[in-house]
Amino acid sequence: MSSQDVLKDASTLASYNVLLQVMFRVLTFLLNAFTLRFVSKELIGVVNVRLTLLYSTLVFLSREAFRRACLSRGSGANHSWRQVINLLWLTLPLGVLWAALLTCVWLWLLEAPDPQTIPFYGPAVVLFAFAGVQELLAEPLWVLAQAHMFVRLKVAAESLAMIAKCSLTVVLVVTSREWGLYIFSAAHLVYTGVLVLCYAVYFLRFLGSKEATKKGFPLQSVGDLLPHKTDGKPLVDWTLARLTWSFFKQSFLKQILTEGERYVMTFLNVLSFGDQGVYDIVNNLGSMVARFIFLPIEESFYIFFGKVLERGRDAKSQKQEDVTIATEVLECLLKLVLVIGLIITVFGYAYSHLALDIYGGSLLSSGAGPSLLRCYSCYVLLLAVNGVTECFVFAAMSQEEVDKYNLVMLALSVSFLLLSYMLTWWAGGIGFILANCLNMGLRISHSLLYIHRYFQSTPWKPLRGLLPSPFLLLALAVSGVITAVSEGFFCCDDGWLLRLVHICVGAVCLLCVLVTVLLTETRLIQFVRTRLLPQYRKKHT
C-alpha cells in the first residue's frame, strides 16, 4: 500500500472516529445531564471517578502496549499475522491478572463509600473489573480491523454499544433508582458485551468470504483467529514482543499521567465523593472537544505515521516521498489542533459560567465550577498540541529511544503526582488542572525537541504549523476582549433574554474568527477539505 493510500485510509479513519466520538460525547453529555436530576453527586463521583478508573486502568495496562507494537510498520508484513494474533491473545490472561490485583486494591485498600448513601460498592467493583476483561476478548479483532482500515466496523460496533448502554442506564435510573451502583455496572457490562459481539459477528461473516479473498486478507478461517503455533516459527515474534514490553513500561507511566488526578483523588482522598463528582462533570464537559476531535486524530494518524515511517531511522535514510507526505501532514495537523485549541481557550473563558448553568444549574455554576472550566479551556490547548506531537514521536522512535523515554515518563509521573497533591491542597480542584498544564508543557517540550532533531538535517520544517497567522491572533484577541465584556454586562443572573444577547455576541465573534481562518490559513483549509472530510476528499480524488 502506497503512502498516499495509507494517508487516504488514515484520513477516512480520523473522520469516522471524529463523528463517532461526537456521538459518544453528545450521548454521554445528555446522559449525565439527565442522571444529575435523579442521582446524587456522591454516586456520580464513585461511578465516574473510582469505578471508571478501575476499568480504564485494567483495560489500558492490558492492551495499550500490544496495540502500539502490533500497529507499527512491519507488524503485518515482516511478521506473521498468526504470530501477531498469538501475541495479542496475551492481553486476556494479562487482563485477568490486572483484574484480580486491582479488585483487591479497590475493595480492601481504598476507603469504601458509606453503604447507607452509596450501597452495593463491592459487587460494583467486581462487575466493572469483569467488564474490562470481557472487552479484551475482542482485542485481536480490533487490531485486525484497525490495521486493515475497517473503519465502518468500529463506527457500527461502538455506536451500537453506546446506544445500548445509554438506553439501559436511562431506563434503570427512572424505574429502579434504588439499585444504585448496580445500574451503572449493568450498563457497562452491556456496553462491553455488545462491543465484543459486534466484532465477533463481523469476522465470522467476513473470514472466508469473497470480499476477504478480494482484499487479500491474511487470515482465512475462524481457527486462524485463535492462538496456535505456526510450523517452523516460534509462537510469537520476539522482536515484536520486546517492542511490546518497551511500550508496556511506557503505557504504565502514560496511564498515571493521563488519569493522574483520578489516582490522587482515589488514593489520597483530597476531595470528597461529592466534590469528585462535580470535578468529573466539569472535566468531562471541558474535555468534550479534546476527546471527540483531538483523540481520534491522534489515534488515526499514529497509524498513518507508523505505516509510512520506518521506526528508528532518521528522515534522510527513509523514502523521501514518504517523509515529504509525513512532514506535510504533521505541519497541517499541528496548525489544525492549534487553531481549534486557541478558539476553545478564548471563548471558553467568557462562556464557562453560562455553559455550566445551562447544563447542571446552580449545582455546577455556583462555587468553583466556572473557574475549573475556564482553567480547563486553557489546558485543552496544551492537550491538542501534545496529542499530535506525541503521535508522531511514538511512531518514529526506535525501541531504544522508547526505553529512554520511559525514564522521562517516570520523572514526569512522579512530578505530576507530587504537584497534584500539593496544588490541590492549595487550590482545590483547580490544582489538578494546573498540575496537568505543567506536565503537559514538559511533554510538549520533549516532543518538539525530538521533532526538531529528526528534521534538523533536512529542508522540511513541520514545526511551522505552530505559527498561526498574525491576523488570526488579532481576531482572537479582539474576540476575547469583546466576549469578556459581554459576560460582565449580560450574564448570567438577569434572565434568558440577556443570556441570548451574550450568546449572539459570541456567535458573531466566532463567525469573524472562522472567516479569518478561511482567508489566512488556506493551506490548512485545503488539508481539511481533501484529507479529513470524506465527501470533499472523494470529489478531489
Side-chain angles (χ1 to χ4, degrees):
M1 185 180 288
S2 69
S3 301
Q4 288 286 356
D5 291 334
V6 173
L7 176 56
K8 290 176 184 177
D9 287 341
S11 301
T12 304
L13 180 60
S15 303
Y16 279 115
N17 278 345
V18 167
L19 293 175
L20 186 64
Q21 290 295 326
V22 167
M23 189 199 73
F24 281 6
R25 291 302 120 190
V26 169
L27 285 175
T28 305
F29 179 85
L30 297 175
L31 183 64
N32 284 337
F34 177 80
T35 54
L36 275 173
R37 274 70 179 173
F38 290 88
V39 301
S40 66
K41 61 182 181 181
E42 287 77 16
L43 183 64
I44 292 177
V46 172
V47 172
N48 289 0
V49 177
R50 181 169 290 192
L51 295 179
T52 301
L53 180 65
L54 167 66
Y55 164 78
S56 66
T57 302
L58 190 162
V59 170
F60 190 90
L61 295 182
S62 300
R63 73 186 183 190
E64 179 67 13
F66 293 88
R67 286 185 172 187
R68 288 197 174 273
C70 294
L71 289 174
S72 298
R73 183 170 185 172
S75 55
N78 299 330
H79 309 285
S80 164
W81 263 110
R82 289 189 177 182
Q83 290 178 308
V84 173
I85 294 295
N86 291 340
L87 183 64
L88 286 170
W89 275 112
L90 293 177
T91 58
L92 188 59
L94 183 61
V96 172
L97 290 175
W98 277 119
L101 176 62
L102 293 174
T103 298
C104 292
V105 172
W106 256 245
L107 288 178
W108 296 319
L109 295 184
L110 297 180
E111 179 186 357
D114 181 5
Q116 299 299 322
T117 308
I118 308 171
F120 315 122
Y121 172 71
V125 169
V126 175
L127 291 174
F128 265 79
F130 181 77
V133 174
Q134 180 175 254
E135 185 171 343
L136 294 175
L137 290 171
E139 192 57 24
L141 308 181
W142 186 93
V143 171
L144 276 171
Q146 289 289 103
H148 294 87
M149 300 295 180
F150 294 170
V151 293
R152 290 181 178 84
L153 170 60
K154 180 179 180 180
V155 172
E158 298 193 13
S159 299
L160 290 173
M162 179 57 73
I163 291 171
K165 175 184 176 180
C166 291
S167 302
L168 182 62
T169 303
V170 169
V171 171
L172 293 180
V173 162
V174 173
T175 62
S176 308
R177 200 182 314 174
E178 68 278 5
W179 288 10
L181 292 176
Y182 275 131
I183 295 173
F184 300 94
S185 303
H188 211 70
L189 280 170
V190 167
Y191 172 80
T192 57
V194 172
L195 201 62
V196 172
L197 183 63
C198 288
Y199 277 96
V201 169
Y202 178 85
F203 276 97
L204 284 174
R205 294 171 59 90
F206 178 76
L207 291 175
S209 66
K210 292 181 179 180
E211 182 184 0
T213 305
K214 182 179 178 181
K215 291 183 175 181
F217 197 71
L219 307 180
Q220 282 75 45
S221 65
V222 176
D224 291 337
L225 295 174
L226 302 176
H228 61 280
K229 190 172 182 179
T230 305
D231 294 337
K233 293 184 179 180
L235 192 63
V236 298
D237 185 286
W238 290 108
T239 302
L240 208 57
R242 286 190 291 270
L243 181 60
T244 303
W245 172 243
S246 297
F247 276 124
F248 176 78
K249 292 181 287 184
Q250 185 186 99
S251 66
F252 187 82
L253 301 173
K254 187 176 180 181
Q255 175 67 3
I256 295 177
L257 287 173
T258 303
E259 301 280 10
E261 66 270 14
R262 284 186 168 88
Y263 286 115
V264 173
M265 283 189 279
T266 298
F267 286 92
L268 300 181
N269 298 320
V270 293
L271 297 176
S272 66
F273 286 119
D275 291 337
Q276 289 179 29
V278 173
Y279 174 84
D280 185 74
I281 292 169
V282 172
N283 180 63
N284 285 335
L285 185 62
S287 64
M288 277 185 67
V289 176
R291 290 178 183 273
F292 70 60
I293 293 181
F294 301 142
L295 183 60
I297 288 175
E298 177 186 351
E299 289 179 346
S300 302
F301 282 94
Y302 171 77
I303 297 174
F304 164 72
F305 290 129
K307 287 180 176 292
V308 169
L309 301 175
E310 293 190 34
R311 186 179 295 278
R313 297 178 62 183
D314 59 33
K316 273 195 168 181
S317 59
Q318 305 204 38
K319 291 182 180 179
Q320 296 307 290
E321 179 189 357
D322 292 349
V323 177
T324 301
I325 295 174
T327 305
E328 293 174 353
V329 170
L330 177 59
E331 181 178 344
C332 290
L333 286 178
L334 287 173
K335 181 65 66 69
L336 175 64
V337 298
L338 181 69
V339 169
I340 296 174
L342 286 171
I343 291 174
I344 293 170
T345 300
V346 169
F347 288 90
Y349 180 85
Y351 289 88
S352 293
H353 190 173
L354 179 60
L356 290 177
D357 195 57
I358 294 173
Y359 185 58
S362 59
L363 176 69
L364 299 181
S365 61
S366 60
S371 298
L372 281 170
L373 193 53
R374 288 187 181 106
C375 291
Y376 207 97
S377 298
C378 299
Y379 173 58
V380 165
L381 176 60
L382 298 176
L383 202 64
V385 175
N386 180 72
V388 172
T389 54
E390 280 197 347
C391 91
F392 176 86
V393 169
F394 290 158
M397 277 182 172
S398 65
Q399 181 179 332
E400 292 74 19
E401 289 172 325
V402 171
D403 289 333
K404 290 179 181 178
Y405 187 61
N406 289 336
L407 299 177
V408 177
M409 295 285 279
L410 176 61
L412 288 173
S413 301
V414 173
S415 66
F416 174 75
L417 294 176
L418 292 175
L419 281 171
S420 295
Y421 183 72
M422 293 186 294
L423 291 175
T424 303
W425 282 114
W426 171 62
I430 294 176
F432 284 123
I433 302 175
L434 295 176
N436 270 313
C437 288
L438 291 172
N439 273 274
M440 198 62 68
L442 292 175
R443 289 168 66 178
I444 290 172
S445 300
H446 177 274
S447 297
L448 293 180
L449 183 61
Y450 181 92
I451 294 171
H452 173 72
R453 289 175 177 171
Y454 189 86
F455 292 101
Q456 191 171 19
S457 58
T458 70
W460 298 293
K461 306 294 179 186
L463 295 182
R464 288 179 301 186
L466 294 175
L467 300 175
S469 162
F471 293 104
L472 176 58
L473 292 177
L474 178 62
L476 286 167
V478 172
S479 297
V481 173
I482 292 174
T483 53
V485 172
S486 172
E487 182 184 32
F489 278 100
F490 303 121
C491 193
C492 293
D493 302 319
D494 297 319
W496 269 102
L497 181 61
L498 293 181
R499 291 184 182 189
L500 290 174
V501 173
H502 181 49
I503 292 173
C504 291
V505 170
V508 172
C509 290
L510 179 59
L511 180 61
C512 293
V513 170
L514 294 178
V515 170
T516 306
V517 172
L518 289 171
L519 296 176
T520 61
E521 302 291 352
T522 53
R523 186 177 178 189
L524 172 62
I525 300 303
Q526 180 70 8
F527 173 79
V528 172
R529 291 183 61 188
T530 58
R531 301 301 183 192
L532 291 183
L533 299 178
Q535 64 267 34
Y536 285 111
R537 184 179 61 78
K538 288 175 182 177
K539 293 178 183 179
H540 180 75
T541 54

